[in-house]
Amino acid sequence: MTTRFRQHSSHWGAFRARTTPGGGLEIEPFEGDPDPSALLRNIPSALSHPARLSRPLVRKGWLEDGPGPDARRGSDGYVTLDWDTALDLGARELQRLGASPALPVGPPLPGARVFGGSYGWASAGRFHHAQSQLHRFLNTAFGGYVASVDTYSTAAGSVILSMVWGDAMKLNRDHPYLDELAEQTELLIAFGGLPLRNTAVSGGGNSQHSARQALERAAERGAGFVSISPIADDMAALPGLVHLAPRPGTDVALMLGMAHRLHETGRADRAYLDRYTTGYDRFLPYLTGAADGIPKTPDWAAGICGVPAPDIAALADRAAASRTLVNVTYSLQRAENGEQPVWMALTLAAMLGQGAAPGAGFCYGLGSIGNVGKVRLDVPLPTLPQGRNGVGDFIPCARIAELLLHPGKSYSYKGERRRYADIRLVYWAGGNPFHHHQDLTRLAQAFARPDTIIVHDSVGTATARHADIVFPATITAEREDIGAGGNDPFLVAMEPLAPVQGEARDDYAIFAALADRIGCAPAFTEGLDTEGWLRRLYAPTQAALLARGSPAPDYDDFRQGMILPLPLNHADGAIRRFHADPDAHPLRTPSGRIEIFSARVAEAGLPGHPAWLPPAEWLGAPLASQHPFQLVANQPAGRLHSQLDFGAASRESKNDGREVARLNPDDAARLGVKAGDVIRIWNGRGAVLAAALPSAGIRAGVVQLATGAWYAPVHLPGVGKTCVNGNPNAVTSDRGASVLSQGCAGQLALVSVERFGGPIPDTVPHEEILPRGRPENGAA
């Protein structure tokens, strides 16, 4: 046990740490971080929490009855096995399903019946990146796997932008929005706000938290800010901040009202629209009402979104008179018809005609994740090669339950007709779908369908609870790695901070042992141990540094606790080049321009231009008469997704271990609810308990409950199955955002709310989500 500080990294920041005499962990944030994240305080609890897994577990029903669909998943018992026995069992099952060192040439490959699940948030390290490790293994052992595309966070938005703007993720990485906001923006219109809690994290690392400083610098210059969200603290309290609180899910109507005002007053920039966009004349009849008899005026918009018409008109006027940046967060598109607010925000920004001006135009995702808007890097980052996926089949990531429940069913994605595969094996490493997914009762039914589910996890999550074989994995604090994230300007030599817990093993070691039993170890490991791979991964970055004359220490020097600054690329990105010469530097769209009308979108079954499409679950829908509250299931402030929910920062956000739901004080008074009361939130999909907190910053008719509490369904007398820990995905809808993207629609749902009148059940501790069985006879 060391007492010296060691360097490490995480999705919420670089830091150094040392063990204390009592066996704890003392954390110090990276000294180069201007605004370190409080989420670092969650890390020490991960080392030896009772929820940690230390030996392999196998579900009793699977062990006794063999592979096959089984409704006992989620409620069955487990037995503890030694590693050799568990690995032998796993390898035999993989071989039964087709894993082999000599795969057939051409389709069908055995991987066509395998789903490789992982969501990539398991590690900031680039080698011990569970998603990459899993995919490399499945490509090696099965010749490929059924993959997933897009993300829960941004599928609808990234899909629509890929068709009408280009690669949204690349365009955002290429453009220094934060610097321009700080120095040149006069008015920021933030649809969804700009929640700093989301900027605390970024995949791979976020060693410089700079969003708060950018906002403060802009405020010092006298910039204006308008936050458009039903939740007031979705944006920091800046000088002169204007907060508009529309009904959730109605931002498109508000944007259309603004657009109509710009058109009506002659402030729509036709020169910009003619040079940089296509399809505006196809959109205009809809906007004016010539196409459907309904002019999309501020008065029309006010009747839908609940923001007064004069405020909508005034905002349009102010935007036209200022250097205005229109930003939309990922949260808006995590809903039914989630493509529309993103497309309409892009159209609104185009009508303002300021895309060529620094600090103005359109941005997607500022305030959604920490590294959006930073200056891009000028060297490549280390990445583990995953090999070739010969299967070629995929699903939109939020359609996992559909995949498992309905093999062979036809569905649409980006206008293409596809069919769900018949999945017999689900292999999950580095993710927790029982956090990310919606309608968790339905997901549990889906997880009963495959023959076998194998999970790697470091803690006993609800996903592990639904597995047949659980291999205990190490955590980043127990591993040596290289930390690196897109647009994060440092490469971190991650040192182990503590001994490995129990008998946990690295994902690489688990896959290497399985590959050895299957006979494909040479192809998977290429004869390299962990250090060999780290040296190989570091080499391309080092070579790029040398080529541009930047400091490029050799690997052994880098390994000595170094945080290596990476050079930045300040040259014009794709957005700036496009505006300088759209003919020479077209966007990656069919027209090369911003597409306000898209034939591809129309052919896929949606209107060919942005439009107000009322969702099934909003406060103006018929269903609202039955379930009159709009649930907003947003990102938590005290953790990243469900990770380290037992950590100090996460625990402090709870009430007696239960997740907190905020609602408007008038709604609370009407329901007879006071702070700390346990409330029941329910609809036809399920129910969840939460601790109430009346808050004036929540719009009337809205209840806000963050995601991330560990799913703990308990049958309560007279109520039925209820998540007592407060996971909102017990009630959210598992419908795709649209036929275009099939994205996650889990941000919003209609629910009923009442003060829970029965005996208050205890929450389920993290260590009791997955019960540990007794050792099997003969297990060491």
Side-chain angles (χ1 to χ4, degrees), residues 60-72:
K60 288 176 62 177
W62 188 91
L63 190 63
E64 294 168 358
D65 301 331
D70 196 337
R72 291 174 292 182

Side-chain angles (χ1 to χ4, degrees), residues 125-320:
R126 294 302 83 198
F127 175 64
H128 293 294
H129 181 236
Q131 184 184 75
S132 299
Q133 292 282 350
L134 172 63
H135 293 172
R136 179 179 175 85
F137 173 74
L138 294 178
N139 286 335
T140 303
F142 286 94
Y145 56 96
V146 177
S148 64
V149 297
D150 306 324
T151 68
Y152 280 93
S153 298
T154 179
S158 60
V159 164
I160 188 65
L161 290 177
S162 74
M163 303 174 82
V164 303
W165 194 46
D167 184 343
M169 302 302 116
K170 184 177 187 302
L171 290 171
N172 280 340
R173 286 195 301 271
D174 277 355
H175 199 82
Y177 289 102
L178 287 175
D179 284 351
E180 292 186 357
L181 169 61
E183 297 167 4
Q184 293 169 298
T185 300
E186 295 174 354
L187 176 65
L188 171 65
I189 302 179
F191 288 96
L194 203 156
L196 290 173
R197 66 178 180 275
N198 293 347
T199 67
V201 303
S202 261
N206 187 14
S207 51
Q208 283 196 327
H209 296 83
S210 50
R212 188 188 307 274
Q213 285 67 34
L215 290 170
E216 291 174 350
R217 285 167 59 197
E220 289 170 2
R221 284 191 300 101
F225 308 93
V226 179
S227 175
I228 300 172
S229 170
I231 300 171
D233 58 11
D234 269 346
M235 194 159 183
L238 297 161
L241 173 68
V242 174
H243 176 223
L244 302 180
R247 294 186 181 99
T250 64
D251 299 80
V252 172
L254 193 155
M255 295 178 200
L256 285 166
M258 292 177 63
H260 191 280
R261 174 71 174 186
L262 294 175
H263 169 73
E264 182 183 47
T265 58
R267 292 182 175 180
D269 190 328
R270 286 306 302 246
Y272 182 95
L273 290 165
D274 291 344
R275 180 162 172 74
Y276 297 107
T277 79
T278 182
Y280 181 69
D281 288 335
R282 303 283 296 271
F283 166 71
L284 196 55
Y286 170 76
L287 181 67
T288 62
D292 60 5
I294 305 173
K296 310 308 181 292
T297 64
D299 285 315
W300 168 86
I304 294 171
C305 70
V307 174
D311 291 350
I312 297 173
L315 180 57
D317 294 344
R318 186 181 180 189

